[in-house]
Amino acid sequence: MVQFILVGILAGLAAALMFLAPVSGTALAFPLFALAGLPLAIAGLGWSPLAAGVAAIAAAAAIAGLSHWASAA
């Protein structure tokens, strides 16, 4: 159970950072933004839907903390 939660949190943080990549303005920003859902899919397929749910909640919380709250919604 702890493994699912830890994987979910790490996948959510990875997805949040990939979602916020266009802020940097580099050439790699758009491909990272386009693949932002991939960590959530990997967590869901590799571990369980519970890990994917935790990842989605962690990603929304990280985006809300690092950016404006409307971006997380």
Side-chain angles (χ1 to χ4, degrees):
M1 183 72 172
V2 174
Q3 182 184 11
F4 295 137
I5 295 172
L6 183 62
V7 166
I9 290 172
L10 292 176
L13 290 177
L17 290 176
M18 291 171 72
F19 181 78
L20 294 174
V23 174
S24 69
T26 62
L28 190 61
F30 181 72
L32 286 175
F33 176 73
L35 296 173
L38 190 60
L40 278 70
I42 291 172
L45 290 173
W47 282 268
S48 72
L50 174 66
V54 170
I57 292 169
I63 291 170
L66 296 173
S67 183
H68 195 263
W69 66 269
S71 299

